[in-house]
Amino acid sequence: MTDRRSDPLSPTRRNLLRASAALAGAAAATPRAAGADTGDNLPPNVPAWMKTQGAPVLSPPYGEPSPFEKTVVRRQRTRTQTQTAASSQTPLQDLHGIITPSGLHFERHHAGVPAIDPAQHRLMLHGMVERPLIFSMDDLARFPSVSRVHFLECSGNGSWAGLGTEATVQQTHGLISCSEWTGVLLSTVLGEAGVKPGAAWVLAEGADASAMSRSIPIGNALDDAILAYAQNGERLRPEQGYPLRLFLPGLEGNMSVKWLRRLKVGDQPFETREETSKYTDLMPDGTARQFTFVMEARSVITFPSGGQRLADRGFVEISGLAWSGRGRITRVDVSTDGGASWRDAVLQAPVMSKCLTRFRCPWTWTGEVARLQSRATDQTGYVQQSKAELVDARGLNSGYHLNAIHEWRLAPDGAVTNEV
């Protein structure tokens, strides 16, 4: 059987050639005629900032973005109820590539952000282990380190009830971010302690005022779980769990317990508050799905998206993000007619496991109403479903694990709104 990716006559190859041709044509048509714009700093004039020396290089203690980017900020989630139990959302519509700057990573707190002295912080490991141990931060730093790029998504990312037409992608999907995480594999530390036969679960407890706690299957703990002390090349920020957090790639965000202080190995789940009364999925028949850890394949178009406006008809590169907690994204389809027809998007390298993947799709907008959707497929063959299909299966009693196909409406005037 011929691999279509290596076949020069395959549909994928032809789509890429068409995309390249469309992009070349668009580039040729993009430049404006001389004199089309007016202003003292516009060509052919020499701009003012070329006529004077730039600001002194004072080497500030910590760099900041350009003041012209001051609108690119996290925003509080509308359902936030208190100053300590709160969340804020990443401005996906303003970002490029796949890495989220640390200062824009979404936040979710259950009891505020503790101020922890790393010199006094300790990680306690006990329970069904041969050698109960207590680690300082220096102890953990002596173990072999790993660096992995993964997404982190809150299981409550999105709204099953829907949001208004004015919603942006920050509001509909902003409880997800992607970073490089550095630390020591949890399996390494568990190996140091020696896990006893029969061990099946690990309790992770945080050092915040809520003592946030979750039960972790031993299989996940021994797989790719990380005891992370750094993010994007610098030590964790306080709101991301400084000085130490658990990181579980691909699993719902609340399991990646921040400010990690205790790991207890046991033979059964510990049935904490956050996995009984919270973070369970109430089904239509009254039963509850518990331990629905994995964040299934999902995608969203970030341009054009809610709150944006296309200046003119013609070439548009549709762009967005796709991800799956089960591994790599293998395909993204894009529709401009509400799902009546689909075509392949190009996956932009790098494409990594349990990581955001940027997709692009060249398109020519004629000025008519368009309904923009994206649909992700992951390496297991799972295909992102419509919201109607998910509601048929799960009902509307749960507030978690919404991974449905999302739609934006593009009006003839270029305005993009959320489809409700």
Side-chain angles (χ1 to χ4, degrees), residues 20-157:
S20 298
L23 185 59
T30 297
R32 297 174 179 268
D37 293 313
T38 59
D40 292 342
N41 291 318
L42 297 174
N45 298 326
V46 177
W49 43 86
M50 287 184 67
K51 300 177 182 179
T52 183
Q53 291 291 337
V57 181
L58 300 177
S59 298
Y62 201 91
E64 297 180 355
S66 164
F68 294 100
E69 299 299 321
K70 62 184 178 182
T71 61
V72 182
V73 295
R74 288 182 297 215
R75 299 194 184 280
Q76 288 285 91
R77 198 179 191 193
T78 54
R79 293 202 296 270
T80 297
Q81 296 181 353
T82 71
Q83 289 297 313
T84 55
S87 62
S88 60
Q89 299 164 303
T90 293
L92 299 175
Q93 69 278 4
D94 297 314
L95 303 184
H96 303 272
I98 60 173
I99 298 295
T100 308
S102 298
L104 294 177
H105 195 288
F106 86 88
E107 299 179 29
R108 174 70 174 99
H109 310 300
H110 292 80
V113 179
I116 298 175
D117 180 352
Q120 299 184 50
H121 186 72
R122 298 292 184 271
L123 173 63
M124 182 167 52
L125 174 54
H126 64 122
M128 294 180 65
V129 294
E130 300 293 342
R131 297 172 296 281
L133 297 169
I134 295 178
F135 301 94
S136 68
M137 291 303 302
D138 287 340
D139 294 332
L140 294 172
R142 294 178 65 184
F143 287 105
S145 65
V146 298
S147 289
R148 308 274 173 81
V149 179
H150 292 299
F151 75 82
L152 181 68
E153 182 178 19
C154 177
S155 61
N157 190 21

Side-chain angles (χ1 to χ4, degrees), residues 349-365:
V351 178
M352 296 182 285
S353 181
K354 304 177 185 178
C355 181
L356 290 187
T357 296
R358 175 71 62 176
F359 65 86
R360 300 178 287 107
C361 186
W363 176 54
T364 299
W365 179 46

Side-chain angles (χ1 to χ4, degrees), residues 128 195-202 216-220 265-269:
M128 294 180 65
V195 176
K196 290 183 177 180
W201 293 81
V202 179
I216 315 299
I218 194 71
N220 295 105
V265 181
D267 59 0
Q268 57 188 324

Side-chain angles (χ1 to χ4, degrees), residues 195-397:
V195 176
K196 290 183 177 180
W201 293 81
V202 179
L203 174 73
E205 180 186 80
D208 61 332
S210 71
M212 175 71 181
S213 305
R214 285 301 308 263
S215 300
I216 315 299
I218 194 71
N220 295 105
L222 294 174
D223 183 14
D224 53 3
I226 301 171
L227 301 178
Y229 46 71
Q231 175 189 9
N232 292 337
E234 62 180 355
R235 290 287 179 172
L236 292 171
R237 296 190 175 195
E239 63 269 21
Q240 294 302 329
Y242 181 86
L244 185 70
R245 76 175 298 164
L246 178 63
F247 190 87
L248 294 161
L251 305 190
E252 58 183 7
N254 65 86
M255 297 176 68
S256 290
V257 174
K258 296 186 285 188
W259 313 293
L260 185 68
R261 67 170 294 270
R262 184 164 72 101
L263 294 168
K264 182 179 181 181
V265 181
D267 59 0
Q268 57 188 324
F270 293 84
E271 304 292 352
T272 71
R273 173 184 181 272
E274 305 301 336
E275 57 204 37
T276 51
S277 67
K278 306 295 182 185
Y279 299 111
T280 59
D281 305 306
L282 185 60
M283 304 300 285
D285 63 0
T287 61
R289 294 196 313 166
Q290 191 180 21
F291 303 131
T292 49
F293 300 134
V294 177
M295 302 305 293
E296 301 286 4
R298 191 176 187 184
S299 66
V300 65
I301 292 171
T302 57
F303 180 83
S305 63
Q308 297 174 344
R309 181 183 294 272
L310 295 185
D312 201 357
R313 66 189 64 188
F315 176 80
V316 177
E317 183 177 66
I318 297 171
S319 179
L321 297 166
W323 60 95
S324 172
R326 297 195 183 275
R328 288 182 298 104
I329 291 295
T330 57
R331 176 173 179 162
V332 175
D333 299 305
V334 169
S335 176
T336 57
D337 54 17
S341 64
W342 298 89
R343 57 180 177 142
D344 287 355
V346 176
L347 303 185
Q348 180 173 303
V351 178
M352 296 182 285
S353 181
K354 304 177 185 178
C355 181
L356 290 187
T357 296
R358 175 71 62 176
F359 65 86
R360 300 178 287 107
C361 186
W363 176 54
T364 299
W365 179 46
T366 62
E368 298 177 347
V369 171
R371 296 166 59 197
L372 308 176
Q373 298 182 1
S374 62
R375 180 179 66 191
T377 302
D378 68 21
Q379 67 181 76
T380 69
Y382 178 94
V383 181
Q384 186 181 5
Q385 297 177 299
S386 69
K387 186 174 180 180
E389 290 173 312
L390 293 181
V391 171
D392 284 344
R394 302 188 209 165
L396 286 170
N397 295 324

